[in-house]
Amino acid sequence: MHISCRLLAFVLAGSVLTACGSSPPSKFYTLSGIGSTTGITPVPAIPVFIEMLPVSVSESLSRPQIVLRTARSQVDIREQDRWASSFNVELRDALAAGIVGKSGATDVTRGGRPADANTYRIAIDLQQFDAVVGQEVRTVFGWTITRSDGTQRVVCKMTVNESVNQDSVDAVVDSVQRVVGRVATVIAGNVTALDGGQTPVCAV
């Protein structure tokens, strides 16, 4: 009886190890690095400073796992497909890089702003995010840009969709990158317009 029990224990242990060994490896994705522009980054005549507040996303998206929409009331939280950091952090870093790359502004979120310089504080709210493999990434972004001295402010809301041309998570990530790039371009234009005393346009 004792030998049979030991044999069974070894078999079960082997099964567990085999199951663990057969699990697919995790893949990690990042939205960083998409803010670079072709050509030379514009340099404002007078230095422009931006401060990026944390991007607001729903609790279901504020996680490292990639979340896909599979039906009207169902989502797939991909344990093996993850962002390099939480999705809201990825968005903040990528949007900041894109705005800097397209406007020439300096990001002083983590410090470094001269004491006598005004800053454009940017608060972004991801109001809708649906990523469907093989179909489309559908998003609604809202944002507020406020000059630190209170003299200028703009509030925008924009729908940005990008098609997903392949049935893969990689293709979804590529589409999310394009969405972020388009939003960063518009926000960068808003900052430039505000700094030039013009009325910003909330459109792609």
Side-chain angles (χ1 to χ4, degrees), residues 95-202:
L95 286 165
I99 294 166
V100 167
K102 297 173 190 299
S103 69
T106 300
D107 183 3
V108 295
T109 303
R110 297 179 175 86
R113 176 175 70 90
D116 58 345
N118 283 304
T119 302
Y120 292 93
R121 296 193 179 99
I122 304 172
I124 301 174
D125 178 22
L126 179 59
Q127 300 173 2
Q128 177 185 340
F129 180 87
D130 291 313
V132 184
V133 172
Q135 295 186 26
E136 194 174 36
V137 172
R138 299 183 291 270
T139 69
V140 177
F141 281 85
W143 63 85
T144 302
I145 305 174
T146 307
R147 186 177 163 108
S148 57
D149 62 3
T151 60
Q152 293 174 304
R153 187 171 185 264
V154 63
V155 179
C156 285
K157 182 177 180 179
M158 187 172 69
T159 298
V160 185
N161 300 332
E162 280 286 345
S163 60
V164 179
N165 299 321
Q166 297 179 8
D167 295 332
S168 68
V169 174
D170 291 50
V172 168
V173 173
D174 288 343
S175 296
V176 177
Q177 288 179 335
R178 292 195 299 272
V179 165
V180 172
R182 291 171 63 186
V183 174
T185 297
V186 178
I187 296 177
N190 288 174
V191 171
T192 301
L194 284 174
D195 198 59
Q198 303 171 353
T199 301
V201 177
C202 303

